[in-house]
């Protein structure tokens, strides 16, 4: 039975007389209507991601102090910025021209930077997890220094580029035949390259990428579990016994003087209070050097939970200048420990979001490699694309997280806002 549309044209007659080009437009228009809300959502992400990451790049290049956190944030922000210029606009183009993709080169570029940015973020967040683990769980051991962090960022980009390079050959456009209302229509799709449509190489490569990124996700998860255990549960009981600093606040001045004269053995391992004082003295010397040179604010080895033990002590100890210096040193260590914890929380939030969205992305990518899209109708494809591209949230959310959780970033925003208001008032 034939049907008549709003213009009075018989659809059955039109289908039988329509050219293949007209049918191709009809097919593409149908899926365009279904996926347009997803394209709009990606466009909004691209807009906020672009300007948000431009702002992050400016702040951390021009205004932020020299530290590991700065270089790793810049590493992530530049990856996010690249994605807003390549992958996200390319994805909108793909969705809007699903069955008649017009630009083969754009398809390859979009596909390359898709893997490049996701893998780069996985490598970067994995490196950050190692850095946070060393800062929190092994503060007196080896640490990643700012110069090393900068070199690692370069290595991250190199590794992501090497891992993504095969995409330039395996992915691209190819033609396929789709049956549309009883007629064969040749469609052009941005997916596998024409030379590898019937090959297993794209599937093998996609599986290898998923394994590499999966290993990074596992490392992140394990390290942050250990970090969370340290931050939430605090020190083990044995360490509390080794450091009697927390109980010293309740002692009288005479008792503290007596403690200085006679070392106290805290356990069978022979760790004395004098040993603890020596380690604190070394940390104090490093602290002074840090303050004078204005270097990395996390460079002083500080136990993020040990600093709580000094809060109960008398501010000026015995009233001497040495006691005042110790108090200032303890306060400085508490500030450093607070920054370590805060920056760890920031990266923990970003990492958990990345893990969840990337697992979803890799799972759906495996289904695409298996050809699931051919069995979905247009609206099912739209839902699939929405969840598949939730991974783009990682390229947008970082500036908002820094604004909420990083006081220094928020302070810089306030200063810039005040400067802009002053300029506007003068104008």
């Amino acid at each position: 039975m034939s049907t008549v549309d709003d213009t009075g044209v018989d659809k059955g007659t039109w289908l039988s007389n329509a050219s293949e080009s007209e049918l191709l437009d009809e097919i593409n228009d149908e899926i365009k209507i279904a996926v347009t809300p997803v394209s709009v959502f990606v466009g909004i992400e691209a807009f906020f991601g672009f300007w948000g990451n431009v702002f992050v790049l400016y702040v951390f290049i021009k205004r932020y102090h020299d530290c590991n956190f700065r270089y790793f944030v810049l590493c992530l922000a530049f990856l996010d910025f690249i994605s807003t210029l390549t992958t996200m606009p390319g994805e909108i183009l793909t969705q809007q021209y699903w069955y008649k993709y017009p630009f083969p080169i754009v398809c390859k570029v979009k596909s390359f930077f898709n893997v490049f940015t996701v893998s780069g973020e996985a490598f970067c967040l994995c490196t950050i997890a190692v850095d946070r683990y060393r800062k929190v769980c092994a503060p007196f051991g080896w640490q990643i220094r700012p110069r090393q962090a900068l070199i690692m960022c370069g290595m991250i980009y190199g590794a992501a580029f090497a891992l993504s390079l095969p995409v330039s050959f395996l992915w691209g456009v190819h033609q396929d035949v789709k049956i549309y209302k009883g007629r064969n229509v040749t469609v052009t799709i941005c997916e596998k390259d024409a030379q590898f449509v019937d090959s297993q190489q794209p599937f093998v490569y996609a599986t290898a990428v998923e394994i590499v990124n999966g290993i990074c996700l596992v490392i992140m998860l394990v390290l942050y579990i250990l970090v969370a255990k340290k931050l939430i549960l605090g020190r083990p009981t044995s360490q509390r016994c080794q450091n009697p600093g927390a109980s010293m606040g309740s002692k009288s001045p005479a008792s503290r003087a007596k403690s200085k004269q006679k070392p106290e053995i805290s356990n069978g391992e022979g760790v004395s209070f004098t040993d603890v004082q020596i380690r604190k003295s070394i940390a104090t010397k490093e602290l002074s050097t840090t303050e004078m040179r204005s270097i990395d604010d996390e460079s002083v080895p500080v136990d993020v939970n040990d600093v709580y033990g000094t809060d109960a002590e008398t501010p000026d100890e015995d009233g001497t200048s040495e006691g005042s210096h110790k108090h200032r040193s303890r306060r400085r260590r508490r500030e450093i420990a607070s920054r370590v914890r805060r920056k760890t929380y920031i990266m923990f939030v970003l990492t958990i979001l990345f893990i969840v969205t990337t697992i979803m992305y890799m799972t759906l990518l495996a289904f695409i490699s298996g050809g699931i899209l051919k069995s979905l109708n247009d609206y099912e494809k739209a839902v699939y694309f929405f969840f598949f591209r939730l991974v783009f949230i990682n390229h947008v959310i970082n500036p908002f997280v820094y604004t909420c959780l990083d006081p220094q970033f928020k302070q810089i925003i306030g200063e810039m806002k005040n400067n802009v208001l002053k300029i506007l008032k003068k104008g």
Side-chain angles (χ1 to χ4, degrees), residues 1-75:
M1 177 182 292
S2 61
T3 59
V4 178
D5 61 15
D6 295 336
T7 61
V9 177
D10 188 290
K11 293 291 292 184
T13 303
W14 181 86
L15 284 172
S16 61
N17 297 329
S19 65
E20 186 173 5
S21 176
E22 291 174 328
L23 290 176
L24 181 60
D25 290 336
E26 181 81 6
I27 299 173
N28 196 78
D29 288 342
E30 288 181 0
I31 192 171
K32 183 186 293 186
I33 293 172
V35 302
T36 291
V38 182
S39 299
V40 171
F41 177 72
V42 175
I44 294 172
E45 288 182 309
F47 176 82
F48 284 103
F50 176 85
W51 291 110
N53 285 293
V54 165
F55 185 73
V56 169
L57 288 170
Y58 171 78
V59 170
F60 279 86
I61 290 175
K62 294 292 187 179
R63 306 288 299 275
Y64 214 87
H65 60 275
D66 186 44
C67 60
N68 294 3
F69 183 74
R70 177 195 186 200
Y71 292 121
F72 290 136
V73 166
L74 288 174
C75 182

Side-chain angles (χ1 to χ4, degrees), residues 242-257:
Q242 290 177 12
N243 187 356
S247 62
M248 287 188 63
S250 60
K251 292 185 179 182
S252 65
S255 299
R256 290 197 298 271

Side-chain angles (χ1 to χ4, degrees), residues 243 245 276-285 310 313 333:
N243 187 356
V276 176
Q277 287 294 89
I278 291 173
R279 289 199 294 268
K280 286 187 176 182
S281 176
I282 295 174
T284 301
K285 291 180 181 178
T310 63
E313 296 183 23
R333 290 198 300 273

Side-chain angles (χ1 to χ4, degrees), residues 397-414:
I397 198 67
N398 295 20
F400 299 97
V401 174
Y402 303 145
T403 303
C404 294
L405 300 181
D406 186 358
Q408 184 173 353
F409 188 81
K410 187 185 299 184
Q411 180 183 354
I412 294 173
I413 291 177

Side-chain angles (χ1 to χ4, degrees), residues 69-139:
F69 183 74
R70 177 195 186 200
Y71 292 121
F72 290 136
V73 166
L74 288 174
C75 182
L76 288 173
F78 193 61
L79 286 168
D80 295 335
F81 181 71
I82 291 174
S83 180
T84 62
L85 294 177
T86 57
T87 310
M88 298 169 80
E91 181 62 22
I92 295 174
L93 185 66
T94 301
Q95 292 174 3
Q96 293 297 298
Y97 296 92
W98 182 258
Y99 287 119
K100 55 174 188 177
Y101 199 86
F103 308 113
I105 297 298
V106 174
C107 177
K108 285 185 176 292
V109 170
K110 184 265 294 189
S111 302
F112 170 83
F113 280 107
N114 184 31
V115 179
F116 176 79
T117 53
V118 172
S119 300
E121 288 207 357
F123 296 155
C124 188
L125 289 172
C126 187
T127 305
I128 291 172
V130 174
D131 179 61
R132 293 294 100 191
Y133 170 79
R134 298 302 304 176
K135 285 283 194 298
V136 173
C137 298

